[in-house]
Amino acid sequence: MLELAILGFLADGPLHGHELRRRVTQLSGYTRPVSDGSLYPAINRLTKAGLLERHTEPGAGAARYVLSLTEAGRTEMLKRLREPADHEITDFTRFFTILAFLSQLPDVTEQHAVLRRRLDFLEAPASFFYDGDRPLRAENVADPYRRGMLLTARAVSRAERTWLREVLGEADPGAARPGDGPVTLDEHAS
C-alpha cells in the first residue's frame, strides 16, 4: 500500500521527497508509521521500474529532488486501484489507502466495482472470535474487552456499510436493511 500511496500522491502533481513522506505519513497515521527505511527503497523501486522520475531541483544540491509520476506510473496506479487484491479490500487500513485515491479512476463504474467488493466483504458474517465455525457476537462474549472489540467493530462496520450503500445508490441510506440488525464482525463482529 506504500507504493500505491506514493503513486497516488504523485498523481496529484510533482512533490519533493520530504513532502511526499509527510503526506504518506499523514495518510497512514499512527497505525503504520512510515520510516525512511521503507519509503526511500519504495521510491527507488518505483523509479527503477520507470513509474517515477526523480529530478534534482536547480540550485538546491543533490539532496533536494522532485518526484513525478510517469505515464507508466499512472497506468500502474490505475491498475492497482481498479484491481485491488483481496487483502486490500478486507484490511481496513489498506482499503482506506485505496479510498484516498479511488477518485483517480475516471470511470465511476470501476470505482463502484471496488466499493461493491468492500460492501460484499462487510456483509459476510465474520468475527474476531468463533465457537467452532460459528462467529461469536458481542452478546455471546463474556470478556468485557473482547465484547468491546466486537461492539466497536460492529459500529464501524455499520457506518461504513451505510456510507457504501449511499455512494452506490442503494436504497435510502437511513432505512433499515436486512443485515443491519445484529449481524456478525460481530455483525461481522460488525
Side-chain angles (χ1 to χ4, degrees):
M1 295 318 306
L2 175 59
E3 290 183 356
L4 177 59
I6 292 167
L7 295 170
F9 281 121
L10 292 176
D12 292 335
L15 292 170
H16 288 104
H18 68 277
E19 177 61 19
L20 177 62
R21 182 176 195 265
R22 185 182 67 78
R23 290 183 189 192
V24 170
T25 297
Q26 289 172 337
L27 177 64
S28 62
Y30 67 92
T31 59
R32 301 207 174 146
V34 179
S35 69
D36 289 345
S38 59
L39 179 66
Y40 292 104
I43 289 171
N44 290 335
R45 281 191 307 275
L46 294 169
T47 302
K48 191 172 187 174
L51 305 178
L52 304 181
E53 290 180 343
R54 183 185 327 224
H55 305 282
T56 303
E57 193 172 62
R64 295 281 290 182
Y65 59 88
V66 176
L67 295 164
S68 58
L69 196 62
T70 64
E71 195 53 44
R74 181 170 302 285
T75 299
E76 178 64 20
M77 178 199 62
L78 294 174
K79 177 181 178 268
R80 289 178 186 211
L81 289 171
R82 196 176 284 120
E83 303 165 7
D86 287 342
H87 70 278
E88 295 169 345
I89 293 292
T90 61
D91 179 274
F92 186 77
T93 303
R94 290 174 187 267
F95 185 70
F96 269 32
T97 300
I98 291 168
L99 276 184
F101 305 107
L102 195 59
S103 63
Q104 295 282 347
L105 277 178
D107 184 346
V108 172
T109 303
E110 291 177 334
Q111 294 171 4
H112 284 193
V114 173
L115 298 179
R116 167 57 51 204
R117 285 180 61 199
R118 177 69 176 178
L119 182 58
D120 289 348
F121 161 71
L122 291 174
E123 289 181 336
S127 181
F128 296 113
F129 308 104
Y130 289 79
D131 180 8
D133 289 338
R134 184 179 63 88
L136 291 177
R137 300 171 37 136
E139 295 76 15
N140 304 116
V141 175
D143 182 290
Y145 307 109
R146 289 182 176 190
R147 188 172 50 255
M149 288 173 62
L150 294 170
L151 290 171
T152 301
R154 177 187 294 171
V156 169
S157 176
R158 198 175 272 157
E160 187 178 353
R161 286 182 285 128
T162 297
W163 174 78
L164 286 165
R165 288 183 190 115
E166 181 181 323
V167 171
L168 292 169
E170 296 179 2
D172 174 18
R177 290 167 199 67
D180 274 352
V183 147
T184 35
L185 197 50
D186 142 45
E187 220 173 21
H188 304 306
S190 139

